[in-house]
Amino acid sequence: HVQLVESGGASVQAGGSLRLTCITSGLSVSRKALAWIRQSPGKERDVIASVDTGGVRTLYADSVKGRFTISRDSAQNRLYLQMDSLKSEDTGRYYCAASGPDFVFTLEKRYFSYWGQGTQVTVS
């Protein structure tokens, strides 16, 4: 069983920075790609960043490219999202997620089978 717990969300001013952390557990986590998925008010959830099993390759949605950085630690049991130059449109609930057995390395949310509880980010 894969478990994911996010932390680090807060209310910040536009232009500020935040670092989100996801604690992962489960014997299969090291064999899964990880991602951050955002749900903005009135919108469906979208994958905004993902990282492969080895922490080498990354993908970003155009809306966050150049401002956000996704990474996983050497033990591959922590997932991070460094968020810089935050904008009001970055407001939303951020979830970490892990890939399922049919995963293709893209930003398509249907490939992620495991979800955390989310952490709220508000930019004003």
Side-chain angles (χ1 to χ4, degrees):
H1 182 69
V2 174
Q3 298 182 66
L4 308 166
V5 181
E6 305 95 331
S7 64
S11 296
V12 299
Q13 294 292 312
S17 297
L18 285 173
R19 190 195 195 199
L20 306 183
T21 299
C22 177
I23 301 173
T24 69
S25 62
L27 293 176
S28 64
V29 171
S30 64
R31 299 189 294 274
K32 296 184 180 297
L34 300 174
W36 288 98
I37 301 175
R38 179 171 68 193
Q39 184 169 32
S40 298
K43 298 181 179 180
E44 295 183 347
R45 297 176 182 181
D46 289 319
V47 180
I48 59 170
S50 64
V51 59
D52 68 1
T53 301
V56 175
R57 295 182 176 180
T58 59
L59 294 172
Y60 297 95
D62 288 341
S63 60
V64 306
K65 193 173 298 181
R67 299 188 297 118
F68 292 8
T69 303
I70 187 172
S71 61
R72 62 196 300 173
D73 68 9
S74 59
Q76 300 184 354
N77 62 351
R78 297 288 188 275
L79 177 71
Y80 302 101
L81 185 67
Q82 178 64 45
M83 310 165 68
D84 297 317
S85 301
L86 284 162
K87 305 175 180 179
S88 60
E89 53 263 42
D90 294 318
T91 293
R93 194 162 187 86
Y94 287 71
Y95 302 83
C96 62
S99 63
D102 61 344
F103 180 73
V104 175
F105 195 54
T106 69
L107 294 174
E108 295 291 329
K109 62 185 178 184
R110 65 188 178 95
Y111 293 112
F112 295 93
S113 299
Y114 305 94
W115 299 71
Q117 85 288 352
T119 186
Q120 181 68 33
V121 173
T122 301
V123 184
S124 61

